[in-house]
Amino acid sequence: MWALLVLIGAAAVSAHLQDLAFDGQKVFRVIPQNNEQVEIINSLASNMQVDFWQPDSVTLVRPKMHVDFRVEADKSFEVEDLLKESGVEYRVLIDNLQAALDAQFDSKARTAGHSYEKYNNWEMIAAWTADIAAQNPDLVSRSVIGETYEGRPMYLLKMGKSGPNKKAIFMDCGFHAREWISPAFCQWFVKEAVETYGKDTVMTRLLNSLDFYVLPVINIDGYVYTWTNDRMWRKTRSKNAGSRCIGTDPNRNFNAGWCTLGASKKPCDSTYCGSAPESEKETKALADFIRKHLSTIKAYLTIHSYSQLLLFPYSYTYTLPSNYDELNSIAYAASKQLASLYNTKYTYGPGATTIYPAAGGSDDWAYDQGIKYAFTFELRDTGRYGFVLPESQIKPTCEETILAVKYIANYVLEHLY
């Protein structure tokens, strides 16, 4: 009881840290019609602090693109005036970010402990990884694949019935700290697997025939920081030599066209690629694990938000992958499965041509290691809430996404190589 009170106290303190931090901040969506209007957004970003939600960086803004960004409260009127004055088409997606942040926690699940329909902090998720393995010893085991910059153990769950020389699918969540729906999905997937094994024919076959490696949060330090200090943090929390700015974008830190397109060499930028490929302990641990298990891992899935996209390689080049037709047809069918539940529409295709070029991503890297089936999910929504998706949408988001993941996994099982 005392421990619980301490926890609640700590939670209250950390909630208080962020209290009103985002009061009056706005999230705008603009659609620049031409290069001149793109320039207006560029100059805006160079004159004040602008947090780009979509695309990840101002350098990726192009005509006709939906551009979502957050500005400080004291700048929001100035920004609105500038947009009006210059005739840039815009709308306010989130009028008061603080109100949206408070509204995230709208889950009816009123438990002090772990819940699949709530956003769980890292302590809760870490304890859950131990519990789920202990409760399902014949289906789930937990290991540590490395530790983070701040020294936290990186827990990996291996799911599946034990059997000789089984192939595997690797799935990770929580690359970007503020994308809270992502770790929620990894937890939900594990729950679905253990709850429906022996009942659902597809899930039973998958777990009998394949292993699933699930990394519930890769960027743990960043995730913790979004709970304690800054809900909008994206990167890791490592120190950068010669800079006061913290962190690297872990999804620009892989050795796949590293730091060429859609990534920044500046440590203060949100898409900073790091000092070298795998400079981050977290990305190195993931890459080391995959390299070690390359003979068994046949698919790689990475879960992000937001935009409702199902992407496959390449993002670091406009060149199409050699099995483009196959990947495209899988993505088409998986999107169709996903939409069958709540009619949620996903766009699919190769990263560079479907959204924008971005080098150093984990999906491209895994694909270039010889993992033929590599996919990135960008979960709900399309910008109404963006990164602050309410808890009431966790269940429907996860339910629909599982349909796509099961489709892909089943396809992989039927096309082992």
Side-chain angles (χ1 to χ4, degrees):
M1 184 65 200
W2 171 242
L4 183 64
L5 287 173
V6 170
L7 263 176
I8 291 167
V13 169
S14 85
H16 186 69
L17 265 182
Q18 295 204 44
D19 260 8
L20 305 177
F22 297 98
D23 203 36
Q25 292 196 9
K26 287 181 168 40
V27 177
F28 290 92
R29 166 165 294 170
V30 302
I31 307 171
Q33 293 305 313
N34 49 41
N35 288 325
E36 198 185 335
Q37 296 196 340
V38 169
E39 263 318 300
I40 290 164
I41 297 167
N42 273 306
S43 71
L44 192 76
S46 57
N47 286 320
M48 62 177 77
Q49 239 194 322
V50 178
D51 171 26
F52 283 84
W53 282 22
Q54 201 193 330
D56 299 329
S57 149
V58 69
T59 58
L60 299 165
V61 175
R62 299 287 176 270
K64 307 280 194 252
M65 187 186 262
H66 283 188
V67 181
D68 301 348
F69 60 85
R70 165 175 74 99
V71 295
E72 299 294 328
D74 57 351
K75 293 281 191 286
S76 63
F77 292 110
E78 192 183 321
V79 169
E80 208 158 343
D81 286 344
L82 178 81
L83 293 172
K84 274 187 194 133
E85 209 173 291
S86 51
V88 180
E89 190 187 327
Y90 80 93
R91 67 188 177 98
V92 176
L93 285 179
I94 299 176
D95 190 47
N96 182 350
L97 185 55
Q98 188 61 49
L101 288 174
D102 297 338
Q104 277 177 116
F105 301 107
D106 66 346
S107 167
K108 300 288 169 272
R110 280 286 67 98
T111 161
H114 180 276
S115 166
Y116 291 105
E117 295 186 36
K118 278 182 16 185
Y119 293 123
N120 300 297
N121 65 22
W122 173 245
E123 286 68 27
M124 297 262 192
I125 297 171
W128 165 84
T129 59
D131 294 341
I132 200 87
Q135 290 155 14
N136 303 276
D138 48 344
L139 219 50
V140 185
S141 61
R142 183 179 85 157
S143 63
V144 175
I145 62 161
E147 62 169 38
T148 66
Y149 180 81
E150 290 178 350
R152 296 180 175 91
M154 296 174 67
Y155 295 120
L156 180 78
L157 295 175
K158 179 184 183 181
M159 301 197 308
K161 272 289 186 225
S162 60
N165 53 49
K166 286 176 78 186
K167 302 305 181 204
I169 292 176
F170 190 101
M171 178 167 73
D172 60 53
C173 292
F175 252 84
H176 292 135
R178 60 188 178 182
E179 298 167 10
W180 281 10
I181 188 61
S182 168
F185 176 72
C186 270
Q187 292 164 72
W188 189 279
F189 179 80
V190 173
K191 165 191 96 80
E192 277 301 295
V194 301
E195 284 179 6
T196 64
Y197 180 80
K199 301 186 182 81
D200 176 88
T201 50
V202 178
M203 189 63 91
T204 305
R205 182 167 74 249
L206 289 173
L207 292 165
N208 282 341
S209 316
L210 292 168
D211 288 327
F212 286 85
Y213 291 114
V214 180
L215 186 62
V217 186
I218 171 169
N219 179 11
I220 302 165
D221 298 344
Y223 187 70
V224 168
Y225 195 75
T226 61
W227 281 81
T228 58
N229 291 66
D230 177 3
R231 175 65 183 83
M232 290 299 130
W233 189 256
R234 166 185 169 94
K235 300 191 285 182
T236 62
R237 293 294 304 161
S238 57
K239 286 191 170 64
N240 294 309
S243 172
R244 52 179 180 80
C245 294
I246 297 287
T248 287
D249 181 340
N251 208 36
R252 299 291 188 282
N253 192 232
F254 287 80
N255 201 359
W258 180 75
C259 222
T260 49
L261 294 169
S264 170
K265 292 185 165 67
K266 299 180 195 146
C268 297
D269 289 353
S270 62
T271 56
Y272 176 52
C273 62
S275 56
E278 296 175 30
S279 60
E280 303 309 285
K281 290 181 74 174
E282 299 84 353
T283 55
K284 176 135 178 33
L286 186 150
D288 282 345
F289 181 88
I290 291 178
R291 275 189 287 261
K292 197 168 132 197
H293 296 87
L294 259 187
S295 57
T296 54
I297 295 172
K298 298 298 168 187
Y300 173 78
L301 307 175
T302 182
I303 314 295
H304 289 251
S305 79
Y306 62 97
S307 287
Q308 295 172 198
L309 302 165
L310 180 47
L311 305 172
F312 52 85
Y314 282 106
S315 285
Y316 73 80
T317 170
Y318 288 101
T319 308
L320 295 178
S322 59
N323 61 334
Y324 166 78
D325 290 329
E326 185 185 21
L327 292 174
N328 203 54
S329 67
I330 296 169
Y332 162 77
S335 306
K336 209 173 147 168
Q337 283 292 312
L338 190 150
S340 69
L341 195 55
Y342 299 111
N343 203 24
T344 306
K345 298 274 188 279
Y346 266 57
T347 304
Y348 61 90
T353 53
T354 307
I355 46 167
Y356 44 77
S362 63
D363 52 350
D364 284 357
W365 175 83
Y367 183 82
D368 281 348
Q369 295 298 300
I371 300 173
K372 262 172 52 175
Y373 304 110
F375 293 94
T376 295
F377 281 81
E378 294 279 357
L379 303 185
R380 289 191 194 184
D381 54 9
T382 54
R384 166 68 187 85
Y385 295 101
F387 300 121
V388 294
L389 195 71
E391 284 177 329
S392 53
Q393 288 199 40
I394 295 175
K395 184 173 189 274
T397 300
C398 292
E399 287 172 338
E400 67 193 10
T401 307
I402 276 234
L403 299 178
V405 169
K406 276 165 79 171
Y407 176 86
I408 295 170
N410 199 57
Y411 181 96
V412 171
L413 176 58
E414 288 171 1
H415 298 80
L416 287 175
Y417 56 97

